[in-house]
Amino acid sequence: MKIEEAIRLSRFTTFGTGGPARWFASPESVDELAVALRFANEQEAGVAVVGLGSNLLVADEGVDLLVLKLAGELASVEVDGERIVAGGGAPNAVILHRAREAGLGGFEFACAIPGTIGGGVWMNAGAYGGDISQVLSRALVVSPEGAGWLTPEELGLTYRHSDLRHGQVVGLVELRLAPRLVVAIRAAVAELQAQRKASQPTNKRTFGSVFKNPDQELTAGRMLEACGLKGFRIGGAQISPKHANFIENADGARTEDAVALMVEARRRAHEQYGVVLTHEVEFLGVAEVPPVR
Ligand SMILES: Cc1cc2nc3c(=O)[nH]c(=O)nc-3n(C[C@H](O)[C@H](O)[C@H](O)COP(=O)(O)OP(=O)(O)OC[C@H]3O[C@@H](n4cnc5c(N)ncnc54)[C@H](O)[C@@H]3O)c2cc1C
């Protein structure tokens, strides 16, 4: 495993923005992951993982961190009866494919979540009433202090949240699925993907839902739409004309353009509805959304 320097992170994010990581490595086993974490410890550097970068805004200036992209055994998928063992870097799409081949259902909800299973555990990703906590038996979390298997309860999985912190890496997961006819899995996935395509900008560079849905009747998307924000643009980023809780990289956007749009969206939602929207997207580096004034 090589530890490289100054690798641009924009190519690892679906939004396509972000500056370089001070250090970058692709560990392929739990042992290599431990070596990488020890390196960061020696350098007194923070550590973060990029999965498929589908929920990630990286600071334009880059990040003073060791950034890890899991590979090899840490991105592989094995089916064992009704159990799936996958590396934290395994894409949901590959897990779903292997589950379908094996006639295992329960992971269909993830067909519309274009990330890795490790990124999914990080924020208990979910859609259409399903989420990672419902299929996860346990996850191997590796940190500078050592490695241990944690259950969904121990991970603190709730709505789009876990208690994980940067430096704790989901190296492996065990999923528990249930037998289902392959044709039924195929039909369910086709139906969910059609619903997605009809309502969300699936063919644009986005980072998924910008804000979590508030505890209100109106979703964040409907609220921002009612604030007249569809199509609103700052720099190269625009609020999706199709769904107001998505920001598209319309033309050479920078992370700061997306953040400026988020600040404006939160200001308007607060002004019109008295609601303080909280972001679902994760930040790496100094990018952040300041409090609503
Ligand atoms: C078009 C589109 C639609 C989407 N729809 C949904 C949806 O319906 N539901 C939903 O929940 N999300 C959705 N998302 C958001 C995103 O796909 C999910 O949050 C996904 O789980 C992120 O996984 P990732 O591998 O891309 O993580 P990244 O975006 O790479 O990282 C997200 C966070 O997880 C951390 N992380 C990643 N891997 C690990 C690991 N192995 N160990 C520890 N931490 C890790 C990162 O450090 C970061 O903090 C959508 C995104 C897009 C672009």
Side-chain angles (χ1 to χ4, degrees):
M1 175 190 56
K2 266 202 338 221
I3 298 197
E4 299 174 272
E5 287 182 39
I7 299 294
R8 283 200 79 76
L9 295 176
S10 51
R11 64 182 155 115
F12 297 111
T13 63
T14 52
F15 193 60
T17 63
R22 175 139 183 222
W23 293 289
F24 184 88
S26 295
E28 296 192 7
S29 63
V30 173
D31 286 348
E32 285 194 0
L33 178 54
V35 170
L37 293 174
R38 266 203 304 279
F39 168 84
N41 233 3
E42 282 157 20
Q43 303 292 331
E44 296 182 11
V47 177
V49 185
V50 285
L52 290 180
S54 62
N55 192 38
L56 208 53
L57 274 176
V58 178
D60 295 312
E61 308 70 45
V63 295
D64 194 18
L65 298 169
L66 168 65
V67 173
L68 302 175
K69 172 99 183 134
L70 306 184
E73 185 193 309
L74 301 180
S76 67
V77 182
E78 297 296 331
V79 180
D80 172 20
E82 293 177 11
R83 199 173 66 115
I84 289 192
V85 180
N92 293 332
V94 175
I95 297 175
L96 179 58
H97 177 77
R98 297 294 304 279
R100 189 175 50 211
E101 272 183 347
L104 292 176
F107 199 62
E108 294 84 336
F109 71 88
C111 68
I113 307 177
T116 61
I117 190 72
V121 171
W122 173 272
M123 51 91 77
N124 191 22
Y128 304 113
D131 66 28
I132 298 294
S133 73
Q134 298 168 17
V135 290
L136 183 73
S137 299
R138 55 184 194 151
L140 181 72
V141 176
V142 186
S143 72
E145 289 76 46
W149 287 95
L150 300 182
T151 63
E153 294 72 34
E154 288 164 336
L155 288 160
L157 298 190
T158 53
Y159 173 66
R160 305 296 171 266
H161 171 86
S162 75
D163 293 339
L164 290 170
R165 293 289 163 265
H166 286 304
Q168 295 182 294
V169 180
V170 177
L172 295 170
V173 302
E174 265 184 35
L175 308 178
R176 174 78 50 194
L177 302 180
R180 193 174 186 198
L181 287 177
V182 175
V183 283
I185 298 173
R186 263 190 220 291
V189 166
E191 164 65 23
L192 296 179
Q193 281 175 338
Q195 279 184 42
R196 252 313 138 96
K197 209 165 162 202
S199 62
Q200 293 183 6
T202 48
N203 58 349
K204 304 282 181 199
R205 302 198 75 161
T206 71
F207 44 84
S209 295
V210 179
F211 297 106
K212 296 184 188 186
N213 280 325
D215 214 1
Q216 297 253 335
E217 212 174 302
L218 273 187
T219 61
R222 291 272 174 240
M223 214 173 255
L224 298 176
E225 181 176 351
C227 291
L229 281 165
K230 274 188 166 177
F232 184 72
R233 183 165 172 157
I234 295 180
Q238 78 167 352
I239 300 210
S240 169
K242 195 163 182 180
H243 191 307
N245 199 24
F246 282 74
I247 291 177
E248 299 174 0
N249 185 341
D251 183 17
R254 291 169 56 80
T255 292
E256 67 176 11
D257 300 334
V259 171
L261 275 179
M262 290 171 70
V263 170
E264 180 58 12
R266 283 202 345 151
R267 189 188 69 72
R268 293 217 207 163
H270 187 243
E271 196 173 87
Q272 201 154 316
Y273 294 98
V275 165
V276 177
L277 292 174
T278 56
H279 56 86
E280 182 162 316
V281 61
E282 294 284 333
F283 293 105
L284 267 196
V286 292
E288 61 176 337
V289 182
V292 175
R293 273 186 258 277

